[in-house]
DNA sequence: CGAATTTGACCGGCGC
DNA sequence: GCGCCGGTCAAATTCG
């Protein structure tokens, strides 16, 4: 996994404002102090980003491991049926083909958890695929409605998705995927982007990408390791930084200082 | 006007 | 056999 981008594209505020010429400019010491302060802040931000990236990578590795050691923990939200499915699957003799294919789909299900604004009633989990909603139901175990989606990118694609707000954590959307896409990922750039409610923009960024994921039913989502995911991360960080008034003030100060020092011809 | 979404009806599996 | 429950269908409605 490459963390090069952190170093290559480090958000350095060094805009060429180094200590140079202009002996007549009085507060050189003050400017240098400011520059040092900004550089220090810049270094801390870089470290924070680096730590975030490291933690994210470690978390993902751990989740992958957990997913791989609990193969029966997938699929249906109903533990009763899940157990029956597992047992049936073991004892099945292939008599009921259609039923078994359904069970296969159930056992191949994966879960994805997405953090969203709890006040947002929509059950939209954007994963780059194109989904068509075909039903919604309030289930017994969870007062929040469960939405049923089918992959509509390819007419023959068998993949289905159930999305329901977690009963324990209302800000958590649980998306359960069943089946395997029989087509390529339609828009790789959208991999791992998460719907951002419009009204959340002013508040602190609370959108986690995917918190956890079980086995790779969605081949397309495996692109998490690709540079495109880095790009998504970078975009997310840019969005976060631009919301930070201290950061924008520092950038504005640096730019104005530069303009005052080297006025355009 | 066609596509997407909503929502009540219906179906099948399961437990009692 | 009956009722409950999750999942799906399809007509009605909404949206672009």
């Amino acid at each position: 996994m490459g963390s090069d981008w952190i170093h290559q594209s480090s958000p350095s505020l060094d805009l060429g404002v180094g200590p140079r010429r202009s002996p007549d400019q009085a507060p050189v010491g003050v400017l240098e102090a400011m520059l040092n302060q900004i550089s220090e802040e810049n270094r801390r931000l870089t470290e924070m980003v680096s730590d975030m990236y490291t933690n994210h990578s470690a978390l993902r590795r751990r989740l992958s491991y957990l997913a791989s050691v609990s193969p029966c923990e997938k699929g249906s939200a109903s533990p009763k049926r899940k157990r029956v499915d597992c047992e049936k699957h073991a004892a099945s003799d292939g008599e009921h083909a259609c039923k078994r294919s359904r069970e296969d789909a159930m056992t191949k299900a994966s879960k994805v958890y997405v953090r969203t604004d709890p006040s947002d009633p929509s059950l939209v989990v954007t994963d780059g695929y194109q989904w068509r909603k075909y039903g919604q139901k309030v289930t017994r175990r969870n007062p929040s409605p469960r939405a049923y989606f089918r992959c509509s990118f390819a007419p023959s694609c068998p993949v289905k998705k159930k999305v329901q707000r977690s009963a324990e954590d209302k800000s958590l959307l649980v998306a359960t995927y069943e089946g395997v896409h029989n087509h390529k990922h339609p828009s790789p750039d959208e991999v791992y982007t998460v719907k951002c409610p419009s009204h959340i923009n002013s508040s602190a960024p609370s959108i986690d990408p995917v918190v956890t994921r079980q086995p790779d039913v969605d081949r397309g989502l495996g692109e998490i390791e690709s540079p495109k995911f880095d790009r998504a991360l970078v975009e997310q960080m840019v969005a976060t930084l631009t919301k930070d008034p201290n950061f924008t003030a520092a950038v504005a100060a640096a730019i104005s200082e530069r303009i005052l020092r080297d006025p355009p011809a």
Side-chain angles (χ1 to χ4, degrees):
Chain A
M1 199 174 299
S3 59
D4 290 343
W5 61 274
I6 289 174
H7 308 294
Q8 285 170 5
S9 58
S10 121
S12 170
L13 290 176
D14 183 4
L15 301 175
V17 210
R20 26 171 213 174
R21 59 174 174 78
S22 313
D24 55 320
Q25 286 182 340
V28 173
V30 174
L31 290 176
E32 277 183 350
M34 282 176 64
L35 184 63
N36 288 338
Q37 191 180 344
I38 291 172
S39 296
E40 176 64 20
E41 195 169 346
N42 183 25
R43 189 187 59 77
R44 283 207 314 273
L45 284 169
T46 305
E47 282 176 3
M48 283 169 64
V49 169
S50 181
D51 285 347
M52 280 169 57
Y53 193 80
T54 305
N55 290 340
H56 174 259
S57 301
L59 193 59
R60 280 200 57 251
R61 277 196 298 273
R62 177 159 173 74
L63 286 167
S64 299
Y65 168 74
L66 288 175
S68 67
V69 298
S70 57
C72 212
E73 176 58 25
K74 311 164 200 169
S76 160
S78 162
K80 215 176 351 183
R81 292 200 177 187
K82 185 169 55 187
R83 195 182 65 241
V84 170
D85 281 346
C86 284
E87 288 166 359
K88 261 193 198 170
H89 204 71
S92 171
D93 57 0
E95 187 181 342
H96 302 102
C98 61
K99 204 160 88 179
R100 205 172 81 168
S101 69
R102 184 183 173 128
E103 285 166 14
D104 283 344
M106 299 285 274
T107 54
K108 281 182 182 175
S110 69
K111 281 187 179 179
V112 173
Y113 298 83
V114 177
R115 192 168 295 282
T116 64
D117 182 4
S119 62
D120 182 5
S122 68
L123 294 169
V124 178
V125 176
T126 309
D127 51 19
Y129 288 95
Q130 198 175 338
W131 300 96
R132 181 191 179 89
K133 189 175 182 179
Y134 66 90
Q136 180 165 317
K137 194 93 176 176
V138 176
T139 57
R140 189 177 160 80
R141 292 167 160 270
N142 191 337
S144 304
R146 174 185 294 169
Y148 298 89
F149 298 89
R150 243 192 285 268
C151 180
S152 62
F153 185 74
S156 60
C157 182
V159 177
K160 291 174 188 173
K161 176 171 83 168
K162 290 180 284 191
V163 180
Q164 188 170 32
R165 209 164 279 282
S166 168
E168 293 82 20
D169 185 352
K170 299 287 183 191
S171 66
L172 212 56
L173 282 180
V174 182
T176 306
Y177 293 84
E178 293 175 10
V180 180
H181 292 282
N182 60 6
H183 55 88
K184 289 188 174 181
H185 195 281
S187 53
D189 282 344
E190 293 178 32
V191 169
Y192 271 74
T193 59
V194 177
K195 179 176 184 289
C196 181
S198 56
H199 54 279
I200 209 171
N201 286 347
S202 58
S203 62
S206 64
I207 309 293
D208 290 348
V210 171
V211 176
T212 187
R213 146 169 298 279
Q214 288 180 341
D216 53 339
V217 169
D218 283 320
R219 302 285 182 233
L221 291 171
E223 295 182 24
I224 188 168
E225 303 290 350
S226 74
K228 281 168 182 168
F229 180 59
D230 288 347
R231 185 179 157 182
L233 253 182
V234 170
E235 285 169 357
Q236 199 171 20
M237 286 189 302
V238 167
T240 303
L241 286 173
T242 51
K243 285 176 200 158
D244 184 346
N246 293 331
F247 181 78
T248 49
V251 172
I255 292 172
S256 61
E257 188 179 320
R258 172 64 184 263
I259 291 173
L260 288 172
R261 190 170 297 181
D262 296 322

